[in-house]
Amino acid sequence: QNDHFQWEKYLEETGSLSAPSEYFRQSKIPPANDFKVGMKLEAHDPRNTTSVCIATVVGVTGARLRLRLDGSDNQNDFWRLVDSPDIQPVGTCEKEGDLLQPPLGYQMNTSSWPMFLLRTLTGSEMAPEAFFKKEPPKPPLNNFKVGMKLEAVDRKNPYLICPATIGNVKGDEVYITFDGWSGAFNYWCKYDCRDIFPVGWCNLTGDILQPLGSNVLITKNTTKTQPPPSKAAQRSMQSPQNSAIILPTHQTKKSGRPKPPVCPS
Ligand code: MLY
């Protein structure tokens, strides 16, 4: 189904383990995604998380939605899982006695907001309540270990889910590193963060798992006659800094410098 990247062979070649699915705050069976492009919902503004706005589904990818806040531009799209607590049916805010807010960067005069809201909702298709799934519970403990493989959102390019490795563990946090890429994309997050998924997630949801970056490790299986590497060599292959021999076939552009999010289309 997923012809972009095959875990099985890679796990074998690198002699690595995938992090067990119970370690993640994700449903063991990914939630169904019934949303359609054009549907409206309420979403917390990612740039101002206390405010709830109207958003439109502008894309559907695996168990995620690509969302755009009504009244904002097309340069600030964000992605949420269908079981994210950041999204809810239209009407939820009002039921709770709150007011829908204009998004940060609302392009018109604030005085036009009530009329804009009325217009944007009139005749629109609202996502049915049943499409919103309950957020799975937090696993009780951080069980991740350095070297475990997973799938993770590239936060600089949040539409991408990529093969990744736990590079470090500290208390409730894990350090996410991207296989075949320089450290420029690495990040720390809580072990129960919704941006990390077990190996096989994309294959189950139909999201596209990105290929490895091109700083590919030379592995034990390059020739048949080579003896298996020592335990220490295996550990170093899984090391966060990719300290094993690497083949830099190309350099990542502007590595180290923060980039604004890129629009894929
Ligand atoms: N072409 C972009 C995207 C890099 C994506 C890296 N991820 C997959 C870790 C760049 O080179 O900056």
Side-chain angles (χ1 to χ4, degrees):
Q1 198 198 340
N2 196 327
D3 43 40
H4 295 264
F5 178 72
Q6 296 298 323
W7 272 112
E8 204 183 345
K9 189 163 165 259
Y10 181 64
L11 290 176
E12 238 248 324
E13 281 176 353
T14 56
S16 45
L17 293 173
S18 46
S21 61
E22 318 82 81
Y23 290 10
F24 296 85
R25 187 175 198 171
Q26 302 294 349
S27 297
K28 197 145 198 176
I29 299 158
N33 191 346
D34 300 315
F35 288 84
K36 299 285 172 284
V37 167
M39 287 180 168
K40 299 217 186 273
L41 46 80
E42 292 180 4
H44 285 265
D45 184 342
R47 294 189 288 173
N48 185 18
T49 53
T50 55
S51 95
V52 179
C53 303
I54 291 293
T56 302
V57 177
V58 295
V60 173
T61 173
R64 300 184 299 162
L65 307 172
R66 177 177 177 175
L67 299 172
R68 188 172 298 164
L69 298 180
D70 289 28
S72 181
D73 54 68
N74 60 7
Q75 300 300 305
N76 290 285
D77 291 352
F78 56 103
W79 284 257
R80 290 293 177 270
L81 288 160
V82 299
D83 58 7
S84 164
D86 297 342
I87 59 170
Q88 57 200 33
V90 173
T92 310
C93 195
E94 192 179 38
K95 246 188 249 168
E96 293 170 0
D98 291 331
L99 287 174
L100 286 165
Q101 300 297 321
L104 205 88
Y106 178 60
Q107 286 153 323
M108 290 153 276
N109 197 296
T110 320
S111 65
S112 72
W113 173 246
M115 190 54 76
F116 178 89
L117 189 58
L118 184 68
R119 290 229 173 107
T120 201
L121 287 173
T122 302
S124 71
E125 191 179 359
M126 318 223 187
E129 183 146 19
F131 290 8
F132 297 82
K133 312 295 180 191
K134 215 173 100 112
E135 185 175 51
K138 273 184 191 216
L141 289 170
N142 182 5
N143 282 310
F144 288 102
K145 302 287 175 291
V146 171
M148 285 180 166
K149 299 290 184 190
L150 69 157
E151 300 179 6
V153 170
D154 172 357
R155 287 186 169 173
K156 290 191 178 173
N157 305 279
Y159 48 94
L160 301 178
I161 300 182
C162 315
T165 305
I166 301 291
N168 205 344
V169 180
K170 207 169 193 181
D172 273 356
E173 303 234 327
V174 289
Y175 192 57
I176 306 301
T177 69
F178 291 93
D179 290 38
W181 291 92
S182 75
F185 302 95
N186 297 354
Y187 58 87
W188 283 99
C189 66
K190 291 262 187 292
Y191 76 95
D192 60 351
C193 147
R194 302 304 313 281
D195 287 342
I196 60 174
F197 309 96
V199 162
W201 177 266
C202 285
N203 196 44
L204 290 174
T205 59
D207 224 326
I208 296 162
L209 182 63
Q210 293 303 300
L212 298 171
S214 47
N215 283 342
V216 183
L217 292 168
I218 296 173
T219 68
K220 60 176 172 176
N221 291 347
T222 46
T223 71
K224 277 227 158 74
T225 51
Q226 240 177 319
S230 67
K231 276 274 145 60
Q234 281 191 40
R235 272 197 299 277
S236 82
M237 280 187 229
Q238 301 167 359
S239 76
Q241 264 63 52
N242 282 355
S243 56
I245 311 150
I246 53 169
L247 284 176
T249 55
H250 78 68
Q251 205 56 50
T252 72
K253 288 161 277 168
K254 313 180 206 107
S255 72
R257 199 175 311 153
K259 274 185 304 154
V262 198
C263 199
S265 50

